[in-house]
Amino acid sequence: MQSRVRRRLFGADGASYERAGSNGDWYGAFTLVTSGSERCDKCGNGLTIPKRSRPSFPPVATHAVSLDAQCETCAAVKPVAARWVPRFQQGEPRDPAFGCALYLQEETGRGTLWAYNRAHALALLEWIASPARSRDGAILPGAMASRLPGWMKSAANRTAVEKSLGRLVARAAAI
């Protein structure tokens, strides 16, 4: 079983976001990550490590840096080694390979609707507009529909989502 950190740093296709950042191919946000759980040298309790992130441009080097972490109990300060790694969160409207914001995205009243390309937008539109969806909740775990947010699958939002997807398909056709 993969650890939480490992899932965050590796994409669904197995591509390493760390490798993308070190090659200079990553144009998304970066965040500082420490090597593990750090403990205070004096009392052994946990350290509060400051969280830092950087916007996508200009690209940042992935070399090691030092952060001053403070003990939660005795307030002692200890330098902690950290490194910049690309930040990618599942469900963000970003390209998972380079971290760039997707061109095909639109804000709706419920959330952001996005697609990678015209084929993806058409597949979403076909599923949303389909009247023959399963009503017994039998959506396969790996299916695209199982990963869609509830507001997209709701019948109350169907018309608005169809219109937004139609605009995304039209925008993709104009490229």
Side-chain angles (χ1 to χ4, degrees):
M1 181 175 197
Q2 290 182 340
S3 69
R4 184 174 186 186
V5 172
R6 189 165 185 83
R7 274 186 269 141
R8 184 178 50 158
L9 298 179
F10 287 84
D13 61 351
S16 168
Y17 298 128
E18 289 178 335
R19 184 175 42 81
S22 64
N23 291 342
D25 293 339
W26 185 261
Y27 295 96
F30 284 83
T31 189
L32 274 174
V33 174
T34 59
S35 59
S37 63
E38 299 290 337
R39 296 282 178 197
C40 179
D41 292 336
K42 291 183 179 179
C43 64
N45 289 320
L47 296 173
T48 302
I49 300 169
K51 296 188 184 294
R52 295 193 184 149
S53 59
R54 293 183 79 169
S56 59
F57 191 79
V60 64
T62 57
H63 64 278
V65 295
S66 180
L67 292 174
D68 287 333
Q70 188 172 13
C71 178
E72 299 167 355
T73 306
C74 68
V77 176
K78 174 184 174 183
V80 175
R83 58 191 158 83
W84 289 104
V85 295
R87 185 182 73 205
F88 179 77
Q89 293 177 349
Q90 208 98 29
E92 275 187 351
R94 295 196 166 276
D95 173 23
F98 300 106
C100 298
L102 294 176
Y103 178 69
L104 298 176
Q105 61 176 310
E106 184 171 318
E107 285 294 326
T108 65
R110 298 283 187 186
T112 304
L113 185 64
W114 56 268
Y116 287 121
N117 51 32
R118 185 173 187 266
H120 184 210
L122 284 171
L124 284 169
L125 182 60
E126 180 181 337
W127 190 84
I128 294 293
S130 174
R133 286 194 258 165
S134 174
R135 298 224 180 249
D136 60 357
I139 297 175
L140 297 176
M144 176 179 62
S146 69
R147 297 187 174 132
L148 294 177
W151 64 267
M152 279 183 68
K153 297 187 269 187
S154 172
N157 300 327
R158 183 176 294 180
T159 307
V161 171
E162 284 179 16
K163 286 180 184 178
S164 295
L165 284 170
R167 286 190 290 268
L168 289 183
V169 169
R171 192 181 311 161
I175 297 176

